[in-house]
Each structure stands twice: as C-alpha cells, then as structure tokens.
Amino acid sequence: GQNIDQPTEMTATEGAIVQINCTYQTSGFNGLFWYQQHAGEAPTFLSYNVLDGLEEKGRFSSFLSRSKGYSYLLLKELQMKDSASYLCAVKGGASKIIFGSGTRLSIRP
Amino acid sequence: DAGITQSPRHKVTETGTPVTLRCHQTENHRYMYWYRQDPGHGLRLIHYSYGVKDTDKGEVSDGYSVSRSKTEDFLLTLESATSSQTSVYFCAISERDTGRVTEAFFGQGTRLTVV
C-alpha cells in the first residue's frame, strides 16, 4: 500500500522558521516533491529530493532520508505570503505521483 | 509556465448525466495525471497516463474513465455523475525521468458541482 503522512495544520510567526514533516510508505521511490498551494489556486512546485540529504533553495530547504521514509520542508524568515498549504508528494513506480493530505500553514504577525 | 489548459473551468451538472473534462498540453510531456481535491483529503490520484493509449488507475478511480488518443489531450469522463464527485479536478503533466528534476506542472483546475 501507499501512505503519506503530514500534519494537518501548523502555525508560525512572521520572521521565524518552521519545519513541516512528511513520512511515507510507497511501492517504489523515484523522488519526493514539495508543492505550495494558496487557497483557490493550483499547486506550484517548490523542491525535489531523490537522494538523501538537504537541498537548499533560497528561504526554502528540503531534506530526505530514504531509509527512514522521511522528509521535511524548512521555511526560513517567514513572510505573511507563506500562508498556504504545503503538499508532500512521492513519485513511485511508473512515475505515479501520490500526494499527502497537505499541511495548512498559518503565519501570524 | 508549462502550457497546460483545463476545460471547462467551472461546470454544474445534474446527477446521472455524463461529464467530460479535458486537459490539453503543448509541452509534449509523456505523463499526464488527473487528481481530485476535497477538503481534508488533499490531492487524490484518479487516473494517469504514461503514453498515448496507455493509462492506469490511481487511488480513487471508481466512477471515472480516461482516454488519451494523442499526446496533447487527456480526457476524464464521469459516466454518470454523482454528488460525491463534486470536487475540484486538477490535471498535471510530467516529463520522462532523465536524471534531472521532472516535477509535475498543474493546470488551473476545474470546479465541478453535481446537483
């Protein structure tokens, strides 16, 4: 079976750092994605990990441990515009892409 | 932005009627996906395609069928719409894995209401 878990909601303060965790159990693994989705809009790509370790991209970083089935998205210097849902997704066999339920992040001033 | 267009963007239909949603891409990407998004469930994969005439089921395929007769178009059909199929439907496209990042790009979504 396939299962991707992430927290439903998180709250953080403007200017702070927040870490959103994702654990997965999937048949086949060809990479893990993080997407951002603002309310009423389509998801947009943030990051991709296929090897273990940290990938940094400006204020956003993503980490992967394949042996633990674990990833996190780290957002630094939070801004109000970062209020959105963050979706963890795994690309498995035959390029099937499965998403977790998403984490709704609220930023308070 | 990836060239991916969904039509229609909004539709209201009656229970029991057939409905077809269209996804059109201009990127010549191999893989195409249909998802539905409902509160509390995130994006759930309905069907996907890995080439012309090559499709496979996703997590929630019951009540849906798909067809891909050419690279650029992926059609999702609800044979007999039910109220439980009221949702936002997203199409996505992705390229073949070539050792570089091959993320999925999303269309703008279709809001379907079944009354």
Side-chain angles (χ1 to χ4, degrees):
Chain A
Q2 303 191 95
N3 193 48
I4 300 174
D5 287 320
Q6 48 183 131
T8 303
E9 292 189 35
M10 298 183 71
T11 302
T13 304
E14 190 177 16
I17 299 172
V18 70
Q19 177 175 312
I20 303 173
N21 296 324
C22 171
T23 58
Y24 64 89
Q25 290 177 301
T26 57
S27 53
F29 181 84
N30 288 304
L32 186 142
F33 301 97
W34 284 96
Y35 283 81
Q36 181 189 60
Q37 186 179 26
H38 285 101
E41 298 181 7
T44 55
F45 170 74
L46 286 178
S47 70
Y48 172 74
N49 296 71
V50 66
L51 300 176
D52 290 352
L54 189 68
E55 294 283 340
E56 297 187 81
K57 205 175 180 182
R59 296 189 297 115
F60 292 58
S61 304
S62 57
F63 172 83
L64 175 67
S65 168
R66 289 172 297 171
S67 63
K68 295 181 179 178
Y70 168 70
S71 173
Y72 68 72
L73 179 70
L74 194 71
L75 293 75
K76 304 175 186 175
E77 301 169 14
L78 285 169
Q79 302 174 11
M80 297 304 293
K81 67 178 182 179
D82 297 328
S83 292
S85 289
Y86 291 85
L87 314 177
C88 173
V90 172
K91 180 182 279 192
S95 290
K96 180 188 284 193
I97 302 176
I98 301 295
F99 282 79
S101 296
T103 298
R104 186 162 60 224
L105 177 65
S106 299
I107 309 298
R108 54 177 177 243
Chain B
D1 289 343
I4 176 170
T5 306
Q6 290 184 231
S7 59
R9 294 291 313 279
H10 300 271
K11 186 169 182 66
V12 180
T13 192
E14 293 186 351
T15 299
T17 60
V19 176
T20 295
L21 308 183
R22 181 187 185 223
C23 178
H24 178 77
Q25 60 147 329
T26 57
E27 303 295 320
N28 200 35
H29 281 8
R30 177 178 179 182
Y31 301 99
M32 299 186 76
Y33 310 82
W34 275 109
Y35 294 90
R36 61 177 289 174
Q37 187 169 39
D38 307 288
H41 289 281
L43 284 161
R44 290 183 290 176
L45 182 64
I46 305 171
H47 283 280
Y48 69 107
S49 170
Y50 46 95
V52 174
K53 292 187 174 21
D54 292 322
T55 65
D56 203 353
K57 295 179 179 179
E59 307 166 277
V60 289
S61 58
D62 287 349
Y64 301 94
S65 62
V66 289
S67 67
R68 192 169 177 200
S69 59
K70 44 187 178 178
T71 300
E72 55 266 35
D73 288 325
F74 193 33
L75 304 180
L76 176 71
T77 297
L78 292 65
E79 301 291 348
S80 178
T82 68
S83 58
S84 65
Q85 293 176 311
T86 292
S87 187
V88 178
Y89 291 85
F90 284 101
C91 175
I93 62 174
S94 177
E95 188 44 278
R96 168 198 309 267
D97 290 319
T98 57
R100 59 178 180 82
V101 179
T102 52
E103 71 270 26
F105 298 96
F106 282 82
Q108 290 307 299
T110 295
R111 184 172 295 276
L112 177 68
T113 303
V114 183
V115 297

